Amino acid sequence: MHVPQLIIDLALILGAAGIITLLFRRLKQPMVLGYIIAGFIVSPNFSLFPSIGDTTGIKTWSEIGVIFLLFSLGLEFSFKKLMRVGGTAAITAFTEIACITVAGYFVGQWMGWSFMDSIFLGGLLASSSTTIIIRAFEELGIKKKSFTKIVFGVLVIEDIVVILMMVLLSTMAVSKQFEGVEMILTIGKLMFFLALWFIAGIFLLPTFLKKMEKYINGETLLVISIALCFGMVILATKVGFSAELGAFIMGSIIAETTSSEKVEHLIQPVKDLFGAIFFVSVGMLINPEMIIEYKWPVLWITLLTIVGKCISTTLGALLSGQPLKQALQVGMSMAQVGEFAFIIATLGMTLGVTSDFLFPVAVGTSAITTFTTPYMIKFALPFYNWLEKVLPAKWMESLNRYSASSQTLQGESDWRRVLRSYVRVIVLNGILMLAITLLCKYYIGPFFMKQFASPFWARMATVLLGMIAMAPFIWAMVVQKIQSIAYKSLWLDSKYNRGPLVVAELMRSVVAVLIVGFFINQFFPLLPALIGTILGMLVVLILVRSQLQKFYNRIEKRFMTNLNMRETAAEEAKAKQLVTLPWDAQVSEIDIDPWSTLVDIPLEQLELREKYGINIGAIRRGDVIIYTPSRYEKLFPYDKITVIGTDAQLEEFNKIASSSIDHSKGEENGSSENIGLVSIVVDENNGLTGKTLRTSGIRESTQALVVGIARGGEKMLNPSSDTVFEWEDVVWLVGNRKRIQDFRG
């Protein structure tokens, strides 16, 4: 019986990969390097063992491996995760990516490489290795250090930027040159389709999975997930993007559903299998003779990676406001080449735009920086101690001053909230309207042309159907209220605000009219298109306004429900865990006295478990519930905490939580239910940061008296009017509860 060559090759690949990775596990080295070495062993460049016969088949399997790698990365990504990484990680990542990409290009030019080789060199240096960094952190026991959160945030942003960079590199490879206008159009097209796919995916996919939940088992969910992945791959390639981008987008959409963890678990073995084949195929491309021939480029690029990424990342962290010590730790953790380097190098070879030596140079650089990473992380603190001694004292003072000032975050203004709301409404609804335009032009219009005998009536039917589909989004673009509280505050605050607000309202209406006019103009000449635009807008805004408002509200509610479905399910699961307790433990809700000795102290320092044997399951702060609070969380006045413990433990702790200074007898008369002692926290919502008690207007706005401020471990009673509010101050006020609550926002 004849055995296909592909099966023989797979047996050879997986056998070599299994043996080599066992050795690498024993040596505590990255699995990726083991796969690459296994690929080299079974390649024609290594003659001591049998070699692969069907390279075309293995290439196809490796392309599937890249798709699954990017799909799995998307499952771990989540767009919300990108929003939560914060400004520090964003500034650090973009500074590092910009600097190292430009430096890589110029180093390539300095070595006499071609334009495309230099561009791809800059691209493959842009990312660091998540796998290697996590392994190094675990081995050194520093995974919980504060600077590691910034490192992980930078890695998240690097991943998404490098994926977008792959799209741009592919475009440049096709055109064989850099054209600014073409790049801008490509980026605009990319942003449009990314937003459209995300909106449509979040609106449809979670609802579908929820309705089909009772019919879906593990096997069915795996099949559906892979089908969705490859479906998005096909769609992405049809509109001119890479298959890898499509896989990543579908993974990130599924990441927002309640099935994400299950899909991630089911897809893991598939990803491991095809990922191993991909990295083995990478190793098959290694030519030792070429690495030796290009040993000097490997050395220069390795030095650029270690020194350049360390300096650029440290600079980015300093610009974001981190102290020098933490910035150095972040910078020296990122000094290596990531797995994306192999994907980008392979992309250049597949497109035929890079030289053969680029790939082995990337492999050599990656191998060296993999081994240097733990030592770079380990010597970050000694290097900082040395720098602290040799740098001038004025420099250190300036850095510390800049870091301290950057950490003082300013409150978000009403104008920023209103403008952000305008942008969100215009962009989201504009994208959906343009998507309907494209759908009508390229699919519905041609379909009606075949069904109608008259071209005029075919175009008319297409326009009417498109206007019906656009109607809810036209209403939202023109009529929907924008941040009513912030908008009203600006409108009433000063007459000078009203002009810009009216202009903003007109601008979004103009955008809506332009999009509708552009849509109709695709099927009718300019004059009929103008008349049709006016009639269509009048129908939408006058005749069916109330119906459209209800319909759009249902669409928005469904989208937001789907978007937050994963977090809602997690909170419900945590709430259920709180009511299921073993043995004689009970759940009790205890109020925190506003003057309790427990206030404004991190839970870690309170040592409630060690002293009283109880655990805090949740903290209710107004309308906000903090489930399983971290050890850095503090208790504030009037918090309601859900405490778990025995009767005796709860009784003892209740005495401590309720004990306070007898500061007032004013409530005995019960003169007004609205008067009381209320605390607020200085944050981005109230905008008090950096203002004095006199200039903040807090007394006038709340009709309340500031009686105390807690700042760290310090408590100030009856602060002076010159006291400056700082970020995360706890401010106690006595006055009208409702007005204070409104001010707190």
Side-chain angles (χ1 to χ4, degrees), residues 106-124:
F106 281 110
V107 167
Q109 293 288 286
W110 171 70
M111 293 187 296
W113 290 9
S114 68
F115 173 78
M116 292 305 296
D117 285 336
S118 301
I119 285 290
F120 271 79
L121 173 61
L124 65 86

Side-chain angles (χ1 to χ4, degrees), residues 139-373:
E139 289 180 357
L140 297 173
I142 58 173
K143 197 174 180 181
K144 299 297 183 181
K145 295 286 186 181
S146 58
F147 79 91
T148 61
K149 296 179 181 178
I150 302 174
V151 172
F152 292 139
V154 172
L155 289 169
V156 169
I157 297 175
E158 277 187 347
D159 288 342
I160 185 66
V161 170
V162 172
I163 290 170
L164 300 181
M165 193 181 293
M166 289 169 59
V167 177
L168 299 180
L169 289 173
S170 300
T171 304
M172 292 178 62
V174 172
S175 62
K176 295 291 199 297
Q177 57 186 341
F178 180 84
E179 295 183 2
V181 176
E182 185 178 353
M183 285 293 102
I184 293 173
L185 291 176
T186 300
I187 292 172
K189 179 182 175 183
L190 176 62
M191 294 298 105
F192 170 76
F193 280 105
L194 283 177
L196 178 61
W197 289 334
F198 180 72
I199 294 170
I202 292 298
F203 186 76
L204 299 173
L205 188 56
T207 302
F208 168 76
L209 291 176
K210 187 175 182 180
K211 289 184 179 296
M212 297 292 107
E213 186 176 9
K214 60 182 178 180
Y215 305 111
I216 296 177
N217 57 16
E219 179 183 353
T220 308
L221 183 60
L222 176 63
V223 172
I224 291 174
S225 302
I226 295 177
L228 289 170
C229 172
F230 281 99
M232 184 60 80
V233 164
I234 295 171
L235 181 60
T237 53
K238 288 290 185 183
V239 297
F241 298 123
S242 65
E244 293 83 359
L245 178 67
F248 177 81
I249 291 299
M250 181 49 65
S252 62
I253 293 173
I254 294 178
E256 302 295 350
T257 70
T258 54
S259 303
S260 59
E261 288 87 357
K262 193 171 183 180
V263 172
E264 190 175 350
H265 174 73
L266 291 170
I267 210 74
Q268 185 70 35
V270 183
K271 183 205 79 170
D272 290 342
L273 173 62
F274 285 98
I277 295 174
F278 166 71
F279 287 114
V280 168
S281 69
V282 167
M284 291 167 56
L285 299 174
I286 296 176
N287 188 338
E289 295 179 357
M290 190 167 287
I291 293 180
I292 295 172
E293 181 182 352
Y294 288 91
K295 57 182 179 296
W296 291 113
V298 171
L299 176 62
W300 301 134
I301 295 170
T302 300
L303 289 174
L304 172 64
T305 302
I306 294 174
V307 178
K309 297 196 79 166
C310 179
I311 293 176
S312 60
T313 310
T314 302
L315 177 63
L318 286 173
L319 290 175
S320 70
Q322 296 302 308
L324 179 59
K325 176 182 176 181
Q326 193 153 313
L328 270 174
Q329 289 177 308
V330 173
M332 296 182 74
S333 299
M334 308 284 295
Q336 76 285 130
V337 175
E339 293 82 359
F340 270 111
F342 305 130
I343 298 176
I344 292 177
T346 305
L347 175 67
M349 293 180 63
T350 303
L351 295 172
V353 295
T354 57
S355 303
D356 294 339
F357 59 77
L358 183 62
F359 188 86
V361 167
V363 172
T365 303
S366 176
I368 296 172
T369 55
T370 295
F371 292 109
T372 59
T373 295

